[in-house]
Amino acid sequence: MKQEKEMPFNGDFEDSEADEDEQSQESESEEEQIQIKKKKKKVVNSSKKLIMNVSDTQYPVVKFVGKMIYKFKLSYVPYLENNNWDFCWTDNAVLPETLSKMQPHQRINHFPGMYSLARKNHLGRNLNKMQKQYPDEYDFYPRTWMLPSEYGDFKAQFQKGKAKTFIIKPEASCQGKGIFLTRSIDSINPQEHYVAQRYIHKPLLIDGLKFDLRIYVMICGCDPLRIYLYKEGLARFATQLYSSPHSTNLDDACMHLTNYAINKDNPNFIFNEDEKKMDIGHKRSMTSVFELLRIQKQNVDQLLIDIKDLIIKTFCAVQPILQQNYTQIENYANNMCFEILGFDILIDSSLKPYLLEVNHTPSFTTDTPLDSYIKKNLIRDAITLMNINVKTKNDIISQKKDQMQKRVLTGKKTKLSYEEKRVLKMQAQKERDEYESKNKGDFELIYPCDKSYDEYLQHAQKLYEDWTGANIRRNLKRDTIAEQSKPQSCTQKPILTQKSQLYKHVQSKVNTNLFPTKTTKADQEVTQEEPEQTLQQIPEPIQSQPQLEPDNFVTYEDYQQSESLKDLYNFAEKRIPEIQLIDLIQFRRAESKQDNSSFQMIQMSQQNSLSNLSPLMQIKSIQDSKNEKKFSIRKKNKQPKQIDQEQLYFQPQPHYQPPIQQHSISYQQQVQIQNGSFVKPKVFSLKLQHPPKGYKLQSLPILMQQNYTKQRYEQGV
């Protein structure tokens, strides 16, 4: 590794193999290129060299480290089209779908879901949620508002006495683009999407200049969290002497902003031309700034502790989001992804660090010797720490082959229990700790650490579940499990009571019609004194959904013991003439009230006559209306005629005969209704529409005359 550290990099790198590949592709025909691409998709790299895909990166230093230091074979085919690579470096975000298609031995330099930190609006929103619960612990960033959603609260800040300065940033930008300072709400468009922050007006100054730190942090595991801090970073200085913000200097970006992209074009900017002299110029090394602060008797050790605590708490706020997007469930080593992040931290005059933003793709441009030295070693140590080599790849592939052979022999896929998975994770974590402790280079493991951050992780998990609704599903599942664990007798008692009451109500209506109670002498005297009232009394119709009363309660089992269904059938068969006579009287009474002058009056009379019928005929008429069939006779292969509902049910009959006289007419002499349709109900079964589970009410047949029923349907009763 000493030789690798001493290998110089001047900022430029050209891969000769890439030029050869381009020339070969130009000479080949299109069909041959398509066949070659298909083969590349199927074939897995079996050579001794690892393949590093650099098709989606623009930085020469990345290609230099992979080609010259680690001897990787560079691939320029888009990594989404060709899966024949071992290590991929991309400058853009990675989707969960890409991660799910990766092989266990492949590595990529981004985590899906890192937008929760990289986007300014997401970072501010996640930190604000944590600050509501822990206001003292999460005070390491300026007060932040997301516009326009929090425009009302932000507008109120301008109405409280002394004028305040705010820095306004676009929610998705970099390199200082679109950033401006303001002290007036009128300069902000309420419809635009911005992130507004309080301006820190008393920053720590060196040589009278404002500066911030670009600290490189590497996250190489999300479940559980595994965070490394690189010991070297950059200090970026403004190019104009600092003075407190006021109305005359708000537009001076080179005074208030420390972005390198803004200050490098200023004539006052001094470039660093020697990597050994890291404390000169407007871009310096982080260690040189700390040495200068130690000389000034500043407590740098406490500053580093606060910076590490700041970084860990920031990751705690978004750990559930990263874990949810990490879809490799069988990756027990938790090492398929890693990401180098750039934390921009500002230090105030009291030596307190403030988090400004997080960059998920920090710039790896190397236009100065200082940049080349720091960024080359950073990428080199990151690849070494992730254990990306041929031996590790072969070990993982051999383990996969052993699992496949066991599956072929047994014919089943072995499912590991939770305890077995936990043991495998602990074993893989132990092996990883041993390797990383010997090969971490200039990285320092800051989490896991001795201090516990479980409280913040648990609260972040709760916030994530509230946001996604996972807590609602979990509570429903817990309630269902609790109900299932209860004894069945406790849960079924009220249900059985309701079932029995429902059957009692229906059976009581049937009993009152089929088995009239024997009246006493006193009751007969009352009926003789008021005969007119009894004739005018209208029987109560049966309700489709009766209101059950617990006082009148007879279970279905008791009813079966007292009277059998066979006795009911025999009794009903003997009293058929009496039932028909009662129906005839009720029918004539309903007929007298009908008015056939209009269709609306007929429809109203149909409802009134149904309510005036006896309970027995109500049951019959309701069931027959559901069971009726309508069809048409096809003549000479013609389409059947449509049935006119008004003619079928409401056609007046000039020659009407009472039902008793019609009883003697045979079925063959009946005249069919117009269009060949007729109704032929034979037997009516008394059943509930939705019988409760566990109870079966046997059908009670009631014989009815076909002609009599047909005639009643013709009259529309």
Side-chain angles (χ1 to χ4, degrees):
M1 296 296 294
K2 290 182 180 180
Q3 296 179 357
E4 294 173 359
K5 287 184 179 179
E6 294 175 357
M7 184 175 293
F9 174 66
N10 57 5
D12 296 329
F13 175 75
E14 293 182 1
D15 187 12
S16 60
E17 293 183 3
D19 298 335
E20 294 176 1
D21 293 341
E22 291 178 359
Q23 293 177 3
S24 62
Q25 288 180 3
E26 291 177 358
S27 61
E28 294 172 352
S29 61
E30 294 182 358
E31 296 181 358
E32 293 177 352
Q33 291 180 9
I34 293 172
Q35 292 179 359
I36 292 172
K37 288 182 179 180
K38 290 182 179 179
K39 291 181 180 179
K40 286 182 178 180
K41 289 183 180 179
K42 297 179 182 178
V43 177
V44 180
N45 177 30
S46 59
S47 62
K48 294 182 179 180
K49 283 187 176 182
L50 295 182
I51 297 178
M52 180 180 181
N53 193 297
V54 292
S55 61
D56 196 26
T57 181
Q58 61 177 337
Y59 301 115
V61 64
V62 177
K63 302 174 186 178
F64 174 83
V65 173
K67 180 73 175 179
M68 305 304 296
I69 297 179
Y70 287 97
K71 309 302 179 183
F72 292 153
K73 182 180 179 181
L74 303 184
S75 173
Y76 296 89
V77 181
Y79 71 95
L80 295 176
E81 299 178 3
N82 184 4
N83 200 34
N84 184 20
W85 49 266
D86 303 303
F87 171 45
C88 178
W89 189 285
T90 175
D91 297 338
N92 298 305
V94 174
L95 299 176
E97 292 79 6
T98 303
L99 186 62
S100 62
K101 297 177 182 178
M102 289 171 54
Q103 299 297 324
H105 68 277
Q106 293 178 323
R107 303 289 183 267
I108 196 165
N109 71 321
H110 281 288
F111 275 91
M114 195 56 72
Y115 64 88
S116 56
L117 278 183
R119 290 286 295 267
K120 297 179 180 64
N121 55 339
H122 287 276
L123 176 63
R125 187 178 297 109
N126 292 323
L127 293 180
N128 284 343
K129 290 179 181 179
M130 296 294 291
Q131 191 184 45
K132 289 181 180 179
Q133 182 68 18
Y134 306 103
D136 297 332
E137 290 80 359
Y138 277 81
D139 62 344
F140 53 79
Y141 68 100
R143 189 176 178 185
T144 306
W145 294 266
M146 269 61 67
L147 306 180
S149 59
E150 299 177 356
Y151 182 81
D153 187 16
F154 178 66
K155 184 178 180 180
Q157 304 299 318
F158 294 88
Q159 302 174 358
K160 296 180 180 179
K162 186 178 178 181
K164 301 176 184 178
T165 305
F166 297 89
I167 182 168
I168 312 300
K169 306 176 183 179
E171 62 181 20
S173 65
C174 59
Q175 299 180 349
K177 298 176 182 177
I179 299 177
F180 63 94
L181 274 64
T182 183
R183 306 185 81 178
S184 173
I185 190 64
D186 298 332
S187 61
I188 300 173
N189 186 354
Q191 304 299 328
E192 294 290 336
H193 289 264
Y194 289 113
V195 175
Q197 289 183 327
R198 279 294 307 271
Y199 184 79
I200 301 173
H201 62 282
K202 291 183 180 181
L204 181 65
L205 304 178
I206 294 180
D207 298 335
L209 301 175
K210 181 181 177 181
F211 71 96
D212 70 347
L213 301 177
R214 167 60 61 86
I215 299 178
Y216 295 105
V217 180
M218 179 175 171
I219 174 174
C220 50
C222 64
D223 186 21
L225 274 178
R226 197 168 185 84
I227 307 171
Y228 281 90
L229 173 66
Y230 198 62
K231 294 181 180 179
E232 191 58 278
L234 295 172
R236 305 174 302 178
F237 286 77
T239 52
Q240 295 288 345
L241 294 177
Y242 178 80
S243 62
S244 298
H246 50 82
S247 57
T248 58
N249 64 0
L250 291 179
D251 296 334
D252 194 347
C254 293
M255 177 189 295
H256 301 290
L257 303 181
T258 59
N259 302 78
Y260 173 72
I262 294 176
N263 288 276
K264 69 178 182 178
D265 297 330
N266 191 292
N268 299 330
F269 190 88
I270 300 174
F271 287 89
N272 180 282
E273 298 179 356
D274 189 357
E275 64 180 23
K276 296 181 180 179
K277 297 180 180 180
M278 299 184 180
D279 57 347
I280 297 176
H282 288 87
K283 182 186 283 188
R284 309 177 188 178
S285 67
M286 184 176 65
T287 54
S288 65
V289 172
F290 288 159
E291 290 295 331
L292 180 61
L293 294 178
R294 285 191 176 96
I295 295 174
Q296 297 177 358
K297 306 295 183 174
Q298 299 284 358
N299 190 355
V300 178
D301 295 334
Q302 182 62 40
L303 174 62
L304 288 174
I305 293 174
D306 294 340
I307 290 175
K308 295 174 185 178
D309 182 69
L310 174 156
I311 293 170
I312 297 171
K313 289 179 180 177
T314 303
F315 278 109
C316 289
V318 299
Q319 189 271 341
I321 301 175
L322 300 178
Q323 179 182 350
Q324 183 66 23
N325 286 273
Y326 191 76
T327 55
Q328 288 292 343
I329 56 177
E330 295 184 357
N331 181 231
Y332 302 116
N334 189 29
N335 62 349
M336 290 189 67
C337 297
F338 73 97
E339 190 158 356
I340 298 175
L341 301 167
F343 276 67
D344 292 343
I345 294 177
L346 180 70
I347 304 172
D348 67 357
S349 58
S350 61
L351 217 67
K352 179 180 179 180
Y354 284 90
L355 176 64
L356 301 181
E357 61 182 46
V358 180
N359 298 273
H360 78 293
T361 54
S363 174
F364 286 104
T365 55
T366 53
D367 50 358
T368 64
L370 179 65
D371 288 316
S372 301
Y373 177 79
I374 293 176
K375 295 174 182 178
K376 179 198 68 175
N377 294 338
L378 170 64
I379 297 172
R380 179 207 61 203
D381 292 346
I383 296 175
T384 303
L385 189 64
M386 290 305 297
N387 196 12
I388 302 175
N389 52 59
V390 177
K391 182 180 179 301
T392 305
K393 172 190 172 182
N394 294 334
D395 293 342
I396 295 173
I397 292 175
S398 62
Q399 291 177 5
K400 269 292 183 184
K401 287 182 178 179
D402 294 340
Q403 294 177 3
M404 291 298 295
Q405 289 178 358
K406 290 180 181 179
R407 184 175 180 181
V408 171
L409 293 175
T410 59
K412 296 180 180 179
K413 185 178 180 180
T414 56
K415 293 184 179 180
L416 301 177
S417 62
Y418 175 78
E419 186 64 24
E420 292 174 341
K421 291 181 180 179
R422 190 179 67 85
V423 172
L424 290 175
K425 285 183 178 180
M426 293 178 62
Q427 182 180 357
Q429 195 63 45
K430 183 178 179 181
E431 295 176 357
R432 185 175 183 181
D433 291 339
E434 293 176 357
Y435 172 82
E436 291 179 356
S437 62
K438 300 176 183 179
N439 299 275
K440 58 185 178 181
D442 289 335
F443 278 103
E444 178 188 358
L445 180 66
I446 61 174
Y447 189 85
C449 59
D450 297 334
K451 184 179 178 180
S452 176
Y453 289 86
D454 294 340
E455 183 180 2
Y456 308 122
L457 290 171
Q458 293 174 3
H459 184 69
Q461 181 67 31
K462 180 179 178 299
L463 292 175
Y464 179 76
E465 291 176 354
D466 293 341
W467 178 56
T468 58
N471 57 341
I472 300 175
R473 294 190 294 270
R474 186 180 64 250
N475 294 337
L476 291 175
K477 185 177 180 181
R478 182 180 57 193
D479 296 341
T480 53
I481 294 173
E483 291 177 0
Q484 293 176 1
S485 62
K486 292 181 180 179
Q488 296 182 358
S489 59
C490 298
T491 58
Q492 290 184 356
K493 265 188 175 181
I495 298 176
L496 294 175
T497 304
Q498 294 178 4
K499 291 176 181 177
S500 302
Q501 291 176 354
L502 183 62
Y503 271 91
K504 175 264 168 187
H505 179 83
V506 176
Q507 291 162 3
S508 63
K509 291 291 183 181
V510 175
N511 292 339
T512 54
N513 293 318
L514 296 181
F515 306 101
T517 56
K518 296 181 180 180
T519 57
T520 60
K521 293 182 179 181
D523 296 336
Q524 291 178 0
E525 292 177 358
V526 173
T527 54
Q528 289 177 2
E529 292 177 359
E530 300 177 355
E532 297 180 357
Q533 296 181 0
T534 57
L535 293 174
Q536 297 178 359
Q537 188 176 6
I538 300 174
E540 181 182 359
I542 298 178
Q543 300 176 359
S544 59
Q545 295 182 354
Q547 297 180 358
L548 305 179
E549 297 179 1
D551 298 335
N552 302 327
F553 173 73
V554 178
T555 60
Y556 180 62
E557 293 81 354
D558 297 338
Y559 174 76
Q560 282 185 327
Q561 294 177 3
S562 61
E563 297 291 340
S564 64
L565 292 174
K566 188 179 291 185
D567 296 336
L568 294 175
Y569 180 82
N570 296 333
F571 186 85
E573 189 175 9
K574 293 178 181 179
R575 299 197 59 181
I576 285 176
E578 298 178 8
I579 295 173
Q580 291 180 350
L581 184 60
I582 294 173
D583 290 340
L584 177 60
I585 296 172
Q586 297 290 346
F587 176 76
R588 287 187 174 180
R589 184 180 301 169
E591 184 184 13
S592 62
K593 297 180 180 180
Q594 290 182 353
D595 184 7
N596 296 330
S597 60
S598 64
F599 174 74
Q600 295 180 355
M601 296 300 296
I602 294 174
Q603 193 172 10
M604 293 175 59
S605 62
Q606 180 186 8
Q607 298 176 359
N608 296 332
S609 61
L610 183 61
S611 62
N612 291 333
L613 293 178
S614 63
L616 183 63
M617 294 308 298
Q618 289 182 28
I619 299 174
K620 174 187 70 61
S621 60
I622 293 172
Q623 186 67 20
D624 288 347
S625 63
K626 294 180 180 179
N627 295 337
E628 67 178 2
K629 299 180 180 179
K630 307 179 187 65
F631 62 91
S632 59
I633 301 175
R634 181 175 295 180
K635 296 181 180 181
K636 296 181 181 181
N637 296 328
K638 293 183 178 179
Q639 295 182 355
K641 299 180 180 179
Q642 296 181 355
I643 301 172
D644 191 355
Q645 300 293 336
E646 298 182 7
Q647 294 180 2
L648 177 62
Y649 294 109
F650 306 109
Q651 185 175 5
Q653 298 293 329
H655 304 287
Y656 170 72
Q657 293 181 356
I660 296 179
Q661 296 180 9
Q662 277 193 338
H663 181 69
S664 60
I665 304 175
S666 61
Y667 180 76
Q668 291 80 6
Q669 296 178 353
Q670 295 179 13
V671 180
Q672 292 185 352
I673 305 176
Q674 191 176 0
N675 296 332
S677 60
F678 61 92
V679 181
K680 189 176 69 173
K682 291 184 178 180
V683 178
F684 168 72
S685 299
L686 181 62
K687 295 182 180 179
L688 291 178
Q689 293 182 356
H690 303 286
K693 188 177 180 181
Y695 289 87
K696 293 183 179 180
L697 181 63
Q698 300 181 7
S699 60
L700 182 63
I702 301 175
L703 301 180
M704 299 185 300
Q705 297 296 327
Q706 299 173 355
N707 299 337
Y708 171 65
T709 306
K710 173 177 177 294
Q711 184 63 34
R712 289 193 63 180
Y713 272 94
E714 292 174 356
Q715 293 298 327
V717 179

